[in-house]
């Protein structure tokens, strides 16, 4: 869905945009089977308007009529186009990057007139598994190495072709490495400087060992140099996904993921997906997940998190509270 924001000081409060139902961000035809993957999508990074006023969305879909359960193996990136503004509707134009590619983040370098598409994963056409009833059949087993790499594809046009960014040996470059390293990027519109933020493994913190690391490059061509990690308060999400000690959610951990980075008025901003981890205390399953008396997951009311830096120093102090949501899950239709 599309959200619009109003500013309250440095913070944003998002609300559903007032769109007719037929203007929903429907990027795939809901009939099955899908020529470009399943009707399930993840992410939805938009760039535009282009020289003719169109907007371009890049989202992950899942090969073999699979659902989100197959995100670790069956993900590819599709391209969809809106000729009526950022609110859509978007019509699928084709596959931008095949398996394996997930969590796309698109940006445009005005200085170099290049479209940049960062993704989790790398070219691996053998990654997808067969699916039954929307769920993958079988397993690769063990750790999936493509989940820990960030790759870059570059194009002169939003329609492609998308060429992989190559390293010195002529192979697709690993721009960054981390745990579920879902990337987000800010391109300085004046200089073309790249600020890349991604998930980074940091085993000293439990239960979530994914911290956010930052790299910077003068241009998309690199070299990408590490700046360090964002402050601890962006990673230390609540130990209790309910402040009520009698709640079944109290023994579950909260977490955030999939940040979206942007800069406004000299300050950095992050929008975050916030949720309850399936793992609770002592690495046991969160007891509220499948308990009929647990009630609504408290994290769903604050599914959209927002953090803002105190200054232009991206590694400096940030203001962030898990329980102060930028937006929730409500969608309001005008018809």
């Amino acid at each position: 869905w599309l959200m619009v924001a109003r500013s309250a000081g440095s913070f944003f409060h998002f609300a559903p945009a007032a769109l007719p139902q037929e203007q929903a961000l429907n990027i795939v035809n809901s009939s099955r089977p899908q020529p470009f993957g399943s009707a399930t999508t993840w992410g939805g990074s938009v760039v535009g308007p282009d020289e003719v006023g169109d907007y371009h969305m890049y989202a992950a879909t899942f090969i073999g009529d699979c659902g989100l359960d197959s995100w670790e193996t069956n993900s590819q990136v599709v391209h969809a186009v809106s000729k009526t503004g950022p609110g859509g509707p978007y019509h699928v134009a084709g596959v931008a990057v095949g398996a394996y590619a997930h969590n796309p983040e698109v940006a445009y370098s005005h200085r170099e007139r290049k479209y940049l598409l960062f993704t989790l994963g790398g070219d691996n056409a053998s990654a997808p598994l067969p699916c039954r009833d929307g769920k993958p059949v079988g397993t690769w087993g063990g750790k999936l190495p493509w989940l820990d790499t960030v790759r870059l594809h570059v194009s002169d046009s939003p329609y492609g072709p998308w060429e992989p960014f190559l390293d010195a040996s002529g192979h697709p470059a690993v721009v960054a490495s981390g745990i579920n390293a879902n990337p987000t990027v800010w391109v300085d519109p004046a200089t073309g400087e790249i600020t890349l933020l991604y998930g980074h493994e940091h085993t000293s913190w439990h239960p979530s060992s994914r911290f956010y690391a930052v790299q910077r490059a003068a241009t998309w061509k690199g070299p990408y140099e590490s700046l360090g990690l964002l402050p601890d308060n962006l990673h230390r999400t609540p130990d209790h996904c309910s402040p009520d000690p009698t709640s079944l959610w109290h023994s579950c951990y909260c977490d955030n993921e999939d940040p979206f980075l942007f800069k406004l008025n000299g300050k950095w901003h992050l929008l975050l997906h916030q949720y309850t981890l399936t793992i609770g205390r002592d690495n046991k399953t969160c007891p509220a997940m499948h308990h009929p008396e647990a009630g609504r997951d408290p994290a769903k009311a604050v599914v959209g998190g927002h953090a803002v830096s105190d200054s232009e120093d991206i590694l400096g102090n940030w203001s962030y509270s898990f329980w102060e949501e930028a937006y929730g899950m409500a969608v309001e239709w005008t018809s």
Side-chain angles (χ1 to χ4, degrees):
W1 57 83
L2 177 68
M3 312 295 287
V4 295
R6 58 183 175 84
S7 175
S10 296
F11 286 89
F12 292 104
H13 298 281
F14 286 77
L19 296 174
Q21 189 163 0
E22 65 271 15
Q23 292 283 2
L25 292 175
N26 177 22
I27 71 163
V28 289
N29 188 312
S30 60
S31 61
R32 292 177 177 268
Q34 296 293 335
F36 299 111
S38 71
T40 301
T41 63
W42 186 257
S45 183
V46 175
V47 66
D50 63 14
E51 63 274 8
V52 297
D54 293 348
Y55 286 79
H56 301 267
M57 177 188 287
Y58 300 86
T61 63
F62 306 99
I63 294 169
D65 207 24
C66 284
L68 188 57
D69 287 342
S70 70
W71 75 268
E72 294 180 313
T73 56
N74 288 39
S75 189
Q76 64 181 358
V77 175
V78 298
H79 169 217
V81 183
S82 169
K83 296 185 176 297
T84 52
Y90 285 80
H91 300 281
V92 173
V95 175
V97 181
Y100 176 83
H102 188 65
N103 225 95
E105 177 85 358
V106 68
Y108 182 68
S109 175
H110 293 271
R111 184 177 179 86
E112 301 187 71
R113 302 180 64 84
K114 293 286 187 181
Y115 288 89
L116 312 174
L117 187 57
F118 290 83
T119 66
L120 172 69
D123 185 25
N124 186 358
S126 63
L129 295 171
C131 284
R132 183 182 303 121
D133 298 326
K135 296 183 180 297
V137 178
T139 178
W140 273 89
K143 186 176 178 63
L144 304 178
W146 52 84
L147 299 183
D148 296 343
T149 61
V150 174
R151 311 286 180 132
L152 169 62
H153 288 76
V154 182
S155 179
D156 294 329
S157 164
Y159 292 90
W162 292 94
E163 300 295 337
F165 172 52
L166 303 179
D167 60 22
S169 63
H171 298 100
V174 175
V175 178
S177 298
I179 181 171
N180 288 355
N182 293 334
T184 181
V185 66
W186 172 257
V187 181
D188 189 292
T191 68
E193 181 183 68
I194 303 289
T195 300
L196 175 67
L197 187 146
Y198 59 98
H200 176 78
E201 188 169 9
H202 195 298
T203 56
S204 64
W205 175 244
H206 179 81
S208 175
S209 57
R210 182 181 57 246
F211 279 30
Y212 297 121
V214 183
Q215 290 187 3
R216 187 160 284 162
T219 76
W220 63 268
K221 299 175 184 177
Y224 289 82
E225 299 179 353
S226 175
L227 296 186
L229 298 176
L230 293 189
D232 283 358
N233 68 312
L234 290 171
H235 316 111
R236 294 181 181 268
T237 47
D239 282 350
H240 305 284
C241 244
S242 170
D244 179 3
T246 66
S247 170
L248 290 171
W249 296 103
H250 186 73
S251 61
C252 304
Y253 292 110
C254 293
D255 202 5
N256 62 43
E257 65 174 2
D258 298 351
F260 172 74
L261 176 71
F262 64 100
K263 193 177 185 182
L264 185 67
N265 298 329
K267 294 186 177 182
W268 295 97
H269 294 259
L270 283 175
L271 296 178
L272 300 149
H273 173 220
Q274 302 187 146
Y275 65 105
T276 300
L277 285 167
T278 57
I279 298 174
R281 291 292 184 278
D282 301 320
N283 288 324
K284 295 179 180 178
T285 301
C286 170
M289 286 288 181
H290 305 290
H291 200 294
E293 297 180 4
R296 180 177 172 84
D297 180 350
K300 289 186 176 180
V302 292
V303 67
H306 176 226
V308 59
S309 68
D310 292 351
S311 69
E312 289 201 45
D313 180 7
I314 196 169
L315 299 183
N317 294 324
W318 286 68
S319 297
Y320 170 64
S321 171
F322 185 92
W323 298 113
E324 294 180 11
E325 78 281 5
Y327 56 90
M329 299 181 68
V331 179
E332 297 178 2
W333 303 115
T334 58
S335 61

